[in-house]
Amino acid sequence: MDDLTKNARGDLEQRFLRSKDIAVAAGDLAGRFFENRNALKIETKSIQDYVSNADKEVESKIIHTINAHFPNDQIVGEESGCKVADSDYVWIVDPIDGTANFINGIPHFCISIALCFLGKVRFGVIYDPNQKELFDAFRGEGAFLNGKPIKVSNNSDLDQSMISCGHSFRIKDEIYLGVIRKLLMASAEYRHMGSAALGLAHTACGRVDGFWEQQINSWDFAAGQLLVEEAGGWINESIPGNWLQSGSAILCTNRHLKTALQKITGIK
Ligand code: LIP
């Protein structure tokens, strides 16, 4: 954290502490909507890409709370786009990551909140309301699950690995199928779970040995990328400079499987 003044660090710490409360409160609200799924109003954004009134109302609650405490901060939300004018502090919010799971009644989704300061992600928080699991990381200070330190796996054998993968219909099928085939040929297990943020969080705590998706939005990975880094993992250096707007391909893993997974996915 040597590029921060004492005041900036204090301001970030204040936001970090508040972000955990925001994520848990948002997760509890999402959970209430989840219990009352039959009442959801669902819209289709594109092929197999949905949004419900739950996504919008959870995001609105998150934005309202951030604005109340930090009125001059900028907010980038999946459902509402960009709020407020330019600010050194930019919040990146996915109110329900795993929306397709959510609307189908599959209890695998989360709230993902990250903060950028001067263009660098400084902290990330991911809350899974179904498991009551709060993942968090403050840059330079490690990654945690419900307050306990977490680390990526130590597995160095693909034929004993499990890789979390994601896919959207924004990407050509053969790209996804090609990577899955190569994983299977290497005797690697894969899981397609429907939430990039949880795929990154589970990589950070070693439940899976890595996460790959060919193209995801910034709000899907902003928090999880820092969790993986702070848990001793590796994440692709090819994330573009305009990732906040354009999203990115994402590959992350432990240090042992990096080269093998780079070769399988073609992501550096
Ligand atoms: C989802 C990601 C997932 C991806 C889906 C979708 P959402 O985010 O977490 O990895 O494959 O296409 O983008 O839309 O549920 O917030």
Side-chain angles (χ1 to χ4, degrees):
M1 301 302 284
D2 54 7
D3 63 337
L4 291 176
T5 65
K6 189 174 178 182
N7 286 347
R9 181 185 174 85
D11 289 345
L12 283 170
E13 286 175 347
Q14 190 186 17
R15 286 165 171 78
F16 181 44
L17 290 175
R18 181 66 63 182
S19 71
K20 298 182 197 180
D21 293 340
I22 292 171
V24 172
D28 292 345
L29 177 60
R32 292 194 290 277
F33 277 112
F34 187 66
E35 286 163 13
N36 194 23
R37 279 184 310 283
N38 295 334
L40 287 177
K41 302 177 189 68
I42 298 166
E43 300 166 42
T44 301
K45 295 197 282 191
S46 59
I47 299 175
Q48 293 284 4
D49 189 7
Y50 306 99
V51 60
S52 74
N53 58 308
D55 297 79
K56 294 176 181 177
E57 292 188 39
V58 171
E59 183 166 299
S60 175
K61 178 182 178 68
I62 293 169
I63 290 172
H64 175 78
T65 310
I66 293 170
N67 284 338
H69 292 279
F70 312 108
N72 298 317
D73 288 11
Q74 185 175 343
I75 303 169
V76 174
E78 175 173 10
E79 311 310 343
S80 58
C82 225
K83 294 281 184 191
V84 188
D86 281 347
S87 165
D88 288 342
Y89 297 93
V90 182
W91 297 73
I92 306 162
V93 175
D94 191 338
I96 297 177
D97 186 65
T99 297
N101 290 341
F102 184 89
I103 62 177
N104 281 286
I106 299 170
H108 186 80
F109 55 88
C110 64
I111 315 301
S112 181
I113 299 173
L115 182 92
C116 269
F117 175 66
L118 301 180
K120 188 187 283 188
V121 175
R122 304 291 178 165
F123 64 74
V125 176
I126 292 174
Y127 181 59
D128 176 344
N130 301 290
Q131 306 300 325
K132 300 283 189 273
E133 291 186 327
L134 181 66
F135 300 86
D136 67 74
F138 191 98
R139 185 174 291 278
E141 303 197 0
F144 299 86
L145 166 54
N146 291 347
K148 294 179 180 172
I150 54 177
K151 286 291 181 195
V152 294
S153 72
N154 200 33
N155 180 15
S156 57
D157 299 312
L158 263 185
D159 62 7
Q160 296 175 32
S161 70
M162 180 177 285
I163 308 301
S164 179
C165 301
H167 167 264
S168 78
F169 288 89
R170 299 184 291 266
I171 300 299
K172 289 181 182 172
D173 300 355
E174 53 266 25
I175 293 175
Y176 179 76
L177 295 173
V179 169
I180 297 301
R181 178 177 172 77
K182 288 173 184 171
L183 287 172
L184 293 176
M185 288 170 67
S187 302
E189 277 280 5
Y190 77 96
R191 291 293 184 270
H192 183 156
M193 302 292 283
S195 167
L198 284 177
L200 289 156
H202 291 179
T203 299
C205 69
R207 285 181 190 159
V208 292
D209 299 300
F211 174 80
W212 163 77
E213 186 154 357
Q214 190 59 30
Q215 179 64 30
I216 46 176
N217 295 306
S218 55
W219 44 78
D220 294 325
F221 68 82
Q225 67 172 336
L226 184 62
L227 276 170
V228 171
E229 288 177 49
E230 290 298 319
W234 169 86
I235 195 156
N236 56 299
E237 288 96 4
S238 55
I239 294 176
N242 64 341
W243 62 271
L244 187 55
Q245 296 77 16
S246 67
S248 179
I250 292 292
L251 174 66
C252 67
T253 183
N254 63 41
R255 301 284 165 180
H256 307 296
L257 294 174
K258 169 188 169 184
T259 303
L261 289 174
Q262 284 180 312
K263 190 175 177 185
I264 285 174
T265 63
I267 294 176
K268 302 301 178 196

